[in-house]
Amino acid sequence: MQAATAAGLDKAVKAFPQDLIAAAAAAKAFRGGLGAPPAPSDEPWPPMRVATIP
Amino acid sequence: MTDLAFRSAVEIAAGYRNGGPSPVDVIDDLSSRIRRHDPDLHAMIAFEPEAVKAEAQLRARELAAGTDRGPLHGIPVAIKDIVDIAGTPTGCASAATVGHVAKADAAVIERLRAAGAIIVGKTNTHEFACGGPSFDLPLPPARNPWNLDHHPGGSSSGSGAGVAAGFFPLAIGTDTGGSVRHPASACGLVGLKPTYGLISRRGVFPLAQSLDCVGGLSRTVADAGLLLNALVGVDPGDPSSTAAPWTDCLSETGKDLSGIRIGYVRHFHEEDLQADPEMAKALDRAADLLRDAGGIVVDIRLPPLEAFFSVNRVLLSSEGFAIHAAMLREKPEAYGALARRALLAGAFLSSDDYIRAQKLRTQLIHAVETCFSKVDILLLASSMEPPSRLDDPIETRRTYTRQARTPFSVTGNPALTIMSGLSASGLPLSVQLAARNYAEPLLLKVAAAYEALRGAAQRPPLPA
């Protein structure tokens, strides 16, 4: 609920806490499906490469 | 069952020019069918028979006077209720939009009117084209004409239900994660999501701008092509709008598929998910038919289905929340529970998640492009099973994750679903075909060949 409050969703926190719990669970599942983030040095796209890594 | 109700747009158009029923005859017939069946089907959100008849009379007078606007002249087309029609409400099936009246026609409406189409009315949709079939909205959800107890797919649910029920031969839908192809699969239709950017989205309420496409639903492949031909065109009002490299998407014809390489993506429905045996059998049968037509059918692999699904959902949730955030903060009670939950998911995703999804999307686009260097067309599942019961929200929810439509929403490639037969329970089965960007002519050629080999589609068991 802290994340929801930080997003300005105070009214939803009060009125629809179950919807927020379901939404957070869905977001977690979607994020999990993306897999682990690559190390910055493994970025395959030159524009996304972190310039300071040798 | 009336004959006119199930005539294709091609057949209706031919009749107009060969002494057959006039636009007024067609509209009278279809209107009576809508009045009779829509109280059970809930495909329509707005339908004003007198206004539609006046439009039909205008189109008939034009034809009589020698003004022929082309293949869509006098053809009835229904519009999903997230598309603006000037002077009418764009309700998005939501209580949150009360009082909103469109000031101008959407680009697709402009194009349909210029082509002489008759705008039949607004069709039902999931709220703001997301969530699912809901019973806490201003109107009940649409039902499937093949079995009223079942879901017609979504989010373009009324467009699918209405075309399948013989209310109109063509309907406009939108597709962000499969919302044209899902109702087409569930209702036994052809559903075409064109290449991203090919049809302008100006005047269409957005769900997720980097994914949203306007598409069409029809009962035949030729009708899908007619509609697409009328809708393509660069529009400065949509920053993603691009030009088609062809002028007629129906230019490639013939049942001979000799030399066309067709990649059969089995792992989506055999490994990544386990499809219903009837759906799997329908896919194998489609591969056999395409091979019989001369196609070179080979197995091919894409990245796992879950990768496409997750990228689609992270992008859709993030972009959707950005659109709805202010309203969700101020009036969360204005939304139905399913749309509220779907849109709120974006509040729990970070910029890191969004950027990571976009990076992965680039990899997935590259993987699909690599596949299309080896084959010309992909054959794969659309839904993994026939449509669920509408009174079973858990099963309905489950089917939204058990599909293979998100890959081409993520990559932007054109994709088409088409009926492949009926299950033992009398519900539609389907297959999906996809092609390289802007290869709609080839996609429609292969789909038309499959349609011819498959045989005539059956009609839903609705009385006349």
Side-chain angles (χ1 to χ4, degrees), chain B residues 208-227:
Chain B
Q209 287 102 326
S210 82
L211 299 162
D212 290 341
C213 289
V214 175
L217 294 108
S218 60
R219 291 188 292 270
T220 70
V221 175
D223 280 7
L226 279 193
L227 185 59

Side-chain angles (χ1 to χ4, degrees), chain B residues 340-421:
Chain B
R340 188 169 51 235
R341 288 178 186 177
L343 293 166
L344 283 171
F348 298 96
L349 292 164
S350 65
S351 55
D352 167 55
D353 297 323
Y354 185 79
I355 295 294
R356 193 143 55 94
Q358 288 288 18
K359 288 181 188 173
L360 188 50
R361 180 187 209 177
T362 307
Q363 291 178 317
L364 295 173
I365 289 170
H366 179 69
V368 171
E369 283 177 350
T370 300
C371 275
F372 278 124
S373 69
K374 300 171 186 164
V375 298
D376 304 303
I377 291 288
L378 293 175
L379 165 68
L380 65 161
S382 171
S383 294
M384 295 295 160
E385 49 259 310
S388 61
R389 285 184 64 89
L390 209 46
D391 61 1
D392 187 346
I394 294 172
E395 176 61 12
T396 298
R397 209 58 239 142
R398 194 177 79 98
T399 62
Y400 276 67
T401 62
R402 288 177 50 74
Q403 44 90 358
R405 293 177 286 269
T406 53
F408 310 109
S409 296
V410 168
T411 64
N413 292 86
L416 174 151
T417 53
I418 183 168
M419 186 183 193
S420 58

Side-chain angles (χ1 to χ4, degrees), chain A residues 1-13 15-16 18-38 40 42-45 48, chain B residues 306-307 309-311 313-314 317 321 325 328-337 340-350 352-360 362-363:
Chain A
M1 292 301 159
Q2 285 180 331
T5 302
L9 295 164
D10 308 70
K11 290 183 179 177
V13 169
F16 304 108
Q18 292 306 313
D19 290 348
L20 285 163
I21 290 168
K28 185 178 179 182
F30 300 156
R31 181 185 302 116
L34 297 180
D42 291 338
E43 289 283 358
W45 303 281
M48 304 300 284
Chain B
E306 187 188 7
F309 182 79
S310 299
V311 167
R313 287 307 190 256
V314 168
S317 302
F321 179 69
L328 285 166
R329 288 179 183 122
E330 291 304 312
K331 292 178 67 178
E333 70 282 2
Y335 293 79
R340 188 169 51 235
R341 288 178 186 177
L343 293 166
L344 283 171
F348 298 96
L349 292 164
S350 65
D352 167 55
D353 297 323
Y354 185 79
I355 295 294
R356 193 143 55 94
Q358 288 288 18
K359 288 181 188 173
L360 188 50
T362 307
Q363 291 178 317

